[in-house]
Amino acid sequence: MKMVLSQRQREELNKAIADYLQSNGYNEALDAFKKEADMPGDVDKKYAGLLEKKWTSVIRLQKKVNELEGKLSEAEKEYISGAPTREKRSPSEWIPRPPEKYELTGHRAPVNRVIFHPIYSLMISASEDATVKV
């Protein structure tokens, strides 16, 4: 397996592991680890709790990645189905039926295009009379 850590990162990780072993009383494991990692002397206090901090950061980032993957999956399903709520409603609910809730005014000819802004509550309509209304 190829190492992806730089020399400085590797040394920092080794010192953090050594601090973890020392703070939890794993002295035999600490001595064996120091011998294996060629770490002379005691571990600096600046590495105290570093392994736990890094580990909780990894767990937090992993949860965030899982949450974002779930949102992406939902968005893909919405995109494939064509509307965010189409699967949850029957066709009689999402096909427009009279009476109309809203009416576009100001065009003198039939409206042939309506576009909704994806974020803001904004709508643009285009008509055969060559007008565009916002």
Side-chain angles (χ1 to χ4, degrees):
M1 180 176 172
K2 185 178 182 243
M3 291 294 288
V4 294
L5 299 175
S6 69
Q7 182 64 29
R8 187 181 72 72
Q9 290 171 328
R10 198 173 306 126
E11 289 172 4
E12 185 179 279
L13 178 62
N14 286 343
K15 290 177 183 177
I17 291 171
D19 173 72
Y20 176 80
L21 293 172
Q22 184 178 15
S23 65
N24 287 302
Y26 301 124
N27 295 324
E28 291 178 23
L30 174 63
D31 294 336
F33 181 74
K34 281 184 172 182
K35 182 180 176 186
E36 190 72 28
D38 290 329
M39 290 180 53
D42 290 333
V43 179
D44 294 339
K45 288 297 176 192
K46 73 177 187 177
Y47 296 103
L50 183 64
L51 190 64
E52 289 92 349
K53 289 177 192 173
K54 299 269 186 189
W55 186 256
T56 54
S57 295
V58 167
I59 297 298
R60 190 173 54 250
L61 288 172
Q62 188 176 22
K63 286 180 182 177
K64 187 68 175 174
V65 165
N66 288 340
E67 179 184 314
L68 290 172
E69 285 176 345
K71 286 182 179 180
L72 176 64
S73 176
E74 270 185 45
E76 287 174 343
K77 286 178 186 175
E78 286 179 12
Y79 176 73
I80 290 169
S81 67
T85 58
R86 189 172 286 182
E87 288 180 355
K88 298 173 186 157
R89 299 195 288 175
S90 68
S92 64
E93 292 175 316
W94 53 266
I95 295 175
R97 302 273 186 243
E100 299 80 13
K101 289 184 180 180
Y102 302 101
E103 181 181 348
L104 293 174
T105 59
H107 291 293
R108 294 183 304 267
V111 173
N112 54 3
R113 185 69 57 135
V114 176
I115 298 175
F116 297 91
H117 193 278
I119 298 171
Y120 303 109
S121 56
L122 185 69
M123 181 190 80
I124 299 173
S125 61
S127 173
E128 289 179 2
D129 63 0
T131 60
V132 176
K133 301 288 181 180
V134 180

